Amino acid sequence: MIFGAVLAGGTGSRMKSAPLPKQFLLLGDKPIILCTLTQFLRNKRFDAVYIAVNGEWLNYFQSLLTQYGVSDPRLRIVAGGSDRNETLMNVIRDIKNTFGEREEDVIITHDAVRPFVSQRLIDQNIDAVLQQVACDTAIPAVDTILSSQDGETVSSIPPRRELFQSQTPQSFPLWQLWELYKALSPQQKAELTDACKIFVLAGKPVRIIQGDVYNLKITTDGDYQIAQAICQSGLWQE
Amino acid sequence: MIFGAVLAGGTGSRMKSAPLPKQFLLLGDKPIILCTLTQFLRNKRFDAVYIAVNGEWLNYFQSLLTQYGVSDPRLRIVAGGSDRNETLMNVIRDIKNTFGEREEDVIITHDAVRPFVSQRLIDQNIDAVLQQVACDTAIPAVDTILSSQDGETVSSIPPRRELFQSQTPQSFPLWQLWELYKALSPQQKAELTDACKIFVLAGKPVRIIQGDVYNLKITTDGDYQIAQAICQSGLWQE
C-alpha cells in the first residue's frame, strides 16, 4: 500500500511573532496545514493519508477540518511524538494496527509547512520508492555552503557541486524504516533527526529526487512573508 | 580606504527565459543591478563604489545609468574578467592605479543579483573587515544539506548545526586578498571560485556575518519571480 504522511508535530518555536504554531497561519484563504494536506489528498494513488498533529492542537485541528470542509475517507489523524521521528513512528504504529504489514508498503512523508508541494514531486517520490529504495527530495545547493564548528569562523568550504539542499517529501520502504529505527540506541535516536540519515548510516542507498525552488519550508517570519507574497502574486498554482 | 564592489561580470546563463542577463531585468521600476548599486551608494562610509560589468554590456549599462539618473562621484565602472575572481582582480588593479595602496584598505564585495542587501549587512561587513579579517555573510542552513558524489544517491549528511548558507557581501583586507590570489597556480585559480575559500585554504580566519533571509540571489526564473513578488508586496523596504 502507498501511505502519505504530512507531519505537523511541532509547535513552531522558531517563529517569534506568531500567535499560533506556524502550520496554522493563513496562506491565502486557508491555513498552511490544510494547503499542504489538500495537495496530498488530491493524489489518488495514496491508499491512506496521515496527518500528525501535536497533541495540544488536535482539537483545534479537528475544528479546522470542519470549518474548511476538508474530508476524505482516506484521511487519518494521529498525535505527534516527542520529535520528528517519534511522530513518524506514531504514524507507522497506526498503520500496523489498522492496515497490517505488507512487505511492499511505502510511505511518502512531508513537512506540513511546505505547502507548495507539486503533484510532480509527490508522483516522482511514489514512483521511486515503489522500487523499494529510500528517497529524499533535494535541489542543487544554490549558495556556497560553509562549515563552521563554532558558528563564528569558517572551518571549511566543501565543493558546492557535491551539495544538495534537502526538502521533502522523503519516502521510505515502510518496514525497512521501522526496523532500522527500532535498532537504534536512545542516543542515536536523539541524533538522527533526519530519517534519511538513518538509511545512509545503515549503508542503504538514498535516491535524490529533483526538488523545486518553490517548495520552501515556512520556518521563520521572513519565510512566511515570502510564502504569502508567492501566494498573492498567483505565481504558484496547482 | 573602504571600497565597495558590486560584481556583475556574468551573462546569466542559468536563466533560460531571460532576453537580457538577469542583472538587467526589472525589479519594480528599475533594473536589478541598479537596485543593488543604489544600496551600496547609499552607504556614505564607502570612499569609492566599483561596479564590474561584462565588457559586452558596458555601453548598455552606461545608458541605464543615464536613463535612471544614477550618478555619484564615488562610482567607478570596470569591465568584468573571465570569472568572478578575475573580475575582482580587475577592480583591485583599478584601485591600485587610481588610489594607490594603503595597508588598511578593505573591500566589501557583493553579487549584483542580490538586490535586497540591507544597510545593516553592509555596515556589519565594514565594521568587521576593518579589523583586518576576511568576512563572509551567511545564514544557518535551513534545509538539511546532502552530500552526493554523483548527484543521484546521497553519500553523506553532515550535521546541520555546523552548516551555513553563504550569501554576500564578502569582505577582505584588500592587499591580503591580492597577495593570496597572485600566489595561486592557474589550476588553483580555476578551482577557487569563492574568494573566501582562498583565505580558508591559506589558514586565515574568515568571520561569519549573520545574513538575512531576504538577501536572496536571483539566479533562476523561479528566484526572479519570488524577488518580484517580494518587491510588489512591499515586504522589503529600505
Side-chain angles (χ1 to χ4, degrees):
Chain A
M1 293 176 79
I2 301 174
F3 297 96
V6 174
L7 306 178
T11 53
S13 56
R14 276 199 275 185
M15 185 156 336
K16 301 291 187 295
S17 75
L20 289 172
K22 57 195 178 301
Q23 57 269 32
F24 297 122
L25 300 179
L26 287 182
L27 193 59
D29 59 2
K30 68 183 174 199
I32 293 169
I33 192 171
L34 294 188
C35 297
T36 311
L37 179 60
T38 303
Q39 284 302 96
F40 266 63
L41 291 174
R42 277 183 57 202
N43 197 304
K44 298 306 173 202
R45 297 169 78 184
F46 289 120
D47 296 296
V49 173
Y50 277 81
I51 178 118
V53 178
N54 184 282
E56 294 173 33
W57 292 91
L58 272 172
N59 286 338
Y60 180 78
F61 177 70
Q62 292 273 12
S63 74
L64 288 180
L65 288 178
T66 309
Q67 185 184 342
Y68 289 88
V70 176
S71 77
D72 190 303
R74 300 171 301 159
L75 179 60
R76 288 189 67 80
I77 305 170
V78 298
S82 56
D83 63 23
R84 187 187 177 82
N85 282 330
E86 287 297 326
T87 296
L88 193 43
M89 293 307 136
N90 286 356
V91 171
I92 300 181
R93 271 180 218 107
D94 192 88
I95 291 174
K96 218 174 160 73
N97 294 336
T98 312
F99 301 97
E101 286 185 45
R102 285 158 205 79
E103 201 185 339
E104 69 277 15
D105 290 341
V106 295
I107 190 164
I108 287 78
T109 72
H110 189 64
D111 294 326
V113 289
R114 290 191 191 265
F116 301 119
V117 58
S118 66
Q119 294 301 315
R120 174 191 72 79
L121 278 184
I122 295 172
D123 279 323
Q124 289 190 353
N125 268 268
I126 293 175
D127 292 342
V129 76
L130 282 176
Q131 296 168 40
Q132 297 298 313
V133 63
C135 307
D136 202 354
T137 303
I139 55 174
V142 173
D143 301 325
T144 297
I145 302 295
L146 312 177
S147 174
S148 170
Q149 306 292 323
D150 63 4
E152 292 180 3
T153 305
V154 177
S155 312
S156 68
I157 305 179
R160 189 176 66 178
R161 64 177 177 280
E162 296 177 4
L163 299 179
F164 295 79
Q165 293 170 222
S166 174
Q167 304 181 333
T168 64
Q170 291 186 329
S171 305
F172 307 100
L174 188 47
W175 306 110
Q176 266 191 51
L177 173 60
W178 177 252
E179 293 300 328
L180 289 172
Y181 187 76
K182 273 202 310 186
L184 298 178
S185 70
Q187 195 191 334
Q188 286 174 315
K189 285 180 181 172
E191 282 168 11
L192 297 176
T193 53
D194 186 291
C196 279
K197 195 157 181 172
I198 298 173
F199 279 75
V200 171
L201 290 185
K204 307 266 184 194
V206 175
R207 189 169 304 164
I208 296 175
I209 305 291
Q210 183 69 40
D212 192 331
V213 68
Y214 288 123
N215 183 27
L216 62 88
K217 184 174 185 175
I218 304 174
T219 306
T220 64
D221 293 334
D223 300 331
Y224 177 49
Q225 290 167 334
I226 290 172
Q228 286 179 302
I230 290 174
C231 203
Q232 281 158 19
S233 70
L235 262 181
W236 195 85
Q237 287 168 328
E238 271 249 353
Chain B
M1 294 176 79
I2 301 174
F3 297 97
V6 173
L7 306 178
T11 53
S13 55
R14 276 200 275 185
M15 185 153 340
K16 300 291 186 296
S17 73
L20 290 170
K22 57 194 176 302
Q23 56 268 34
F24 297 122
L25 300 179
L26 286 182
L27 193 60
D29 59 0
K30 67 183 175 199
I32 292 169
I33 192 170
L34 294 188
C35 297
T36 311
L37 180 60
T38 302
Q39 284 302 96
F40 266 62
L41 291 173
R42 278 184 57 203
N43 196 304
K44 298 307 176 201
R45 298 168 78 185
F46 289 121
D47 296 297
V49 173
Y50 278 80
I51 178 120
V53 178
N54 184 282
E56 294 172 33
W57 292 90
L58 273 172
N59 286 337
Y60 180 77
F61 177 70
Q62 293 274 12
S63 74
L64 288 180
L65 289 178
T66 309
Q67 184 184 340
Y68 288 88
V70 176
S71 78
D72 190 301
R74 299 171 301 158
L75 179 60
R76 289 189 66 81
I77 306 170
V78 300
S82 56
D83 62 24
R84 187 186 176 83
N85 283 329
E86 286 297 326
T87 295
L88 194 42
M89 294 307 137
N90 285 357
V91 170
I92 300 181
R93 273 181 215 106
D94 192 88
I95 291 174
K96 216 174 161 76
N97 294 335
T98 311
F99 300 96
E101 286 185 43
R102 284 158 207 77
E103 201 185 337
E104 70 276 15
D105 290 341
V106 295
I107 189 164
I108 286 78
T109 71
H110 189 64
D111 294 327
V113 289
R114 291 192 192 265
F116 301 119
V117 58
S118 66
Q119 294 301 313
R120 173 190 73 80
L121 278 185
I122 296 172
D123 279 323
Q124 289 191 351
N125 267 268
I126 294 175
D127 292 341
V129 76
L130 283 176
Q131 296 170 40
Q132 297 298 313
V133 62
C135 307
D136 202 355
T137 303
I139 55 174
V142 174
D143 300 327
T144 297
I145 302 295
L146 312 176
S147 175
S148 170
Q149 305 294 323
D150 63 4
E152 292 179 3
T153 305
V154 176
S155 312
S156 68
I157 306 180
R160 188 176 68 176
R161 64 179 178 279
E162 295 178 5
L163 299 180
F164 295 78
Q165 294 170 220
S166 174
Q167 304 180 333
T168 65
Q170 292 185 327
S171 305
F172 307 100
L174 188 47
W175 307 109
Q176 268 191 49
L177 172 61
W178 176 252
E179 292 301 327
L180 289 172
Y181 187 76
K182 273 201 313 186
L184 299 178
S185 70
Q187 194 192 333
Q188 287 175 316
K189 285 180 181 172
E191 282 168 11
L192 298 175
T193 53
D194 185 291
C196 279
K197 195 157 182 173
I198 299 173
F199 279 76
V200 171
L201 290 185
K204 306 268 184 194
V206 175
R207 189 169 305 165
I208 296 175
I209 305 291
Q210 183 69 40
D212 193 333
V213 67
Y214 287 125
N215 184 27
L216 63 89
K217 185 174 185 176
I218 304 174
T219 306
T220 63
D221 292 334
D223 301 331
Y224 177 49
Q225 290 167 333
I226 290 172
Q228 285 179 303
I230 291 173
C231 204
Q232 283 158 18
S233 70
L235 262 183
W236 194 86
Q237 286 169 329
E238 273 250 351

